[in-house]
Amino acid sequence: LLTFTADARGDAFRVANDAPATPTLDLQGNPVPLGTHYIYRGQPLLAVDWRWPFMAAGAIKGTALVIEPMVQLVAAPYGGNPAGIPNEDSGDFELDETDLFSLDRIPGRAQIESGPRANVGMRAEAFFPTGSVEVLLGEVFRLKPDPLFAPGSGFGGKSSDIVARYTIKFPPWLSLTHRVDLDSSDGSILRNEVYLDGNYGRSNIEISYVRLAQQSLAQQSLTQSGPREEVNGQVTLALLDHWALFAAARRDLQAQQMIDTEYGLGWENDCLGVSISYQRRYPRFLDVPPSTSILASIRLKTGDESLNISDLFSRRVFSAD
């Protein structure tokens, strides 16, 4: 499969900076000049995406194997981020397998990815009568480093980190996803994530584990800038025809302390879902005491909506912030 892409983008900025108390930084990390000024930029792009899936039937009836090499070549000029543009919405960048073959991996509108590059990867997937197993890995290469990518972003040099994902799916009972980020220079694991989702009827269990060796500059906070390791858990236990109990917890394994816990009771039918829960939060900085909340939720279903009772209670326990 060959896919050719031609694209051109143009931006015009009017920046008014009236001596704020805290200096605003541009894409180069320098203070934005005072006063009002205009900045223009244009960015053309040509790309070719090559993929060749090799398919074979398995030795067992109903099974198959697919191995697919993938290469994407992108031709674009350097210098797509002139000085003076405030970096308001493009700071939080992190390479992973979801944006490995994206033509512009930068979030927001302020910053754009420029320069020639090659995105290279391999995908293998085995199909079974009741599910599938997939492995995906890849890496990005550049002719020279881009200073806009921070060292902790996974793309600070000529070659990026090696990103990979391993997925097992046997719907509707089991789903397991394992994501890793490997340093291409020494093979050390910089990010390790595991997500397990099990279902049996209306009952459900979700477990996730996240370990970050070092957060990027955009991800660092006042509370935690070093390694991060957390485990999350959530259980929904169906009772009778419409009732369910649920519980959730998130724990910081580095600090050996809880972050959030939540317990509740819910009821649902074909038209309505109701839940009430008790939530406890444990701050990890300064002298802020733990907080307690009682959360109530009422949700009306539409004609084409399917609602699980576990969707009713707060998912903030499992946020990745």
Side-chain angles (χ1 to χ4, degrees):
L1 175 66
L2 282 172
T3 304
F4 297 92
T5 303
D7 182 72
R9 169 179 170 176
D11 296 298
F13 294 85
R14 179 185 181 275
V15 182
N17 188 17
D18 299 326
T22 302
T24 301
L25 301 182
D26 65 5
L27 301 177
Q28 315 295 334
N30 302 315
V32 174
L34 298 179
T36 301
H37 56 284
Y38 296 85
I39 303 174
Y40 307 95
R41 71 177 173 197
Q43 179 78 353
L45 179 148
L46 295 175
V48 56
D49 188 299
W50 172 86
R51 305 184 182 211
W52 194 340
F54 295 87
M55 296 172 284
I60 303 176
K61 183 179 179 180
T63 63
L65 176 66
V66 176
I67 298 178
E68 182 181 19
M70 300 172 286
V71 178
Q72 185 182 66
L73 302 177
V74 181
Y78 292 106
N81 300 285
I85 301 176
N87 192 5
E88 297 179 333
D89 59 1
S90 300
D92 191 4
F93 165 78
E94 187 175 13
L95 179 70
D96 58 33
E97 85 287 348
T98 61
D99 57 13
L100 180 63
F101 292 93
S102 174
L103 296 178
D104 188 2
R105 285 171 275 260
I106 309 298
R109 304 294 299 177
Q111 181 176 318
I112 60 177
E113 187 174 1
S114 61
R117 52 198 180 271
N119 309 319
V120 181
M122 175 71 72
R123 185 181 73 90
E125 187 168 9
F127 294 92
F128 304 94
T130 57
S132 64
V133 177
E134 181 188 27
V135 178
L136 171 68
L137 60 89
E139 190 174 3
V140 182
F141 300 92
R142 301 179 64 90
L143 294 179
K144 64 179 182 179
D146 190 333
L148 292 177
F149 292 98
S153 67
F155 202 0
K158 292 183 179 180
S159 60
S160 72
D161 295 342
I162 300 173
V163 293
R165 184 192 71 228
Y166 177 73
T167 305
I168 300 176
K169 292 183 179 180
F170 286 93
W173 303 285
L174 176 67
S175 175
L176 173 66
T177 300
H178 184 199
R179 303 170 62 200
V180 295
D181 186 334
L182 304 174
D183 191 321
S184 58
S185 61
D186 58 13
S188 60
I189 299 178
L190 302 178
R191 185 180 69 238
N192 190 12
E193 304 177 34
V194 180
Y195 302 92
L196 175 64
D197 189 349
N199 296 278
Y200 183 77
R202 292 169 49 240
S203 298
N204 169 270
I205 181 172
E206 297 179 20
I207 301 174
S208 66
Y209 167 83
V210 176
R211 185 181 187 278
L212 303 177
Q214 183 177 0
Q215 292 178 286
S216 64
L217 181 62
Q219 296 171 311
Q220 292 179 8
S221 64
L222 295 176
T223 62
Q224 190 176 28
S225 59
R228 170 184 166 191
E229 188 175 15
E230 294 179 3
V231 61
N232 308 327
Q234 170 183 308
V235 176
T236 302
L237 180 61
L239 303 175
L240 303 176
D241 294 331
H242 301 285
W243 292 92
L245 292 173
F246 50 81
R250 181 160 63 123
R251 183 172 179 82
D252 186 335
L253 300 181
Q254 289 284 332
Q256 291 297 312
Q257 68 178 45
M258 299 301 298
I259 302 174
D260 299 282
T261 57
E262 187 171 358
Y263 313 93
L265 176 67
W267 179 92
E268 66 154 344
N269 62 11
D270 294 336
C271 303
L272 177 69
V274 181
S275 73
I276 185 169
S277 63
Y278 169 90
Q279 185 185 77
R280 185 74 166 166
R281 291 193 169 192
Y282 304 88
R284 294 174 286 176
F285 64 101
L286 304 179
D287 296 323
V288 179
S291 63
T292 300
S293 302
I294 303 296
L295 307 175
S297 175
I298 300 176
R299 184 170 176 180
L300 300 176
K301 302 181 185 179
T302 61
D304 57 352
E305 179 182 11
S306 176
L307 175 66
N308 188 286
I309 195 66
S310 62
D311 296 327
L312 285 169
F313 74 96
S314 172
R315 293 300 184 116
R316 290 175 296 173
V317 174
F318 304 96
S319 63
D321 58 358

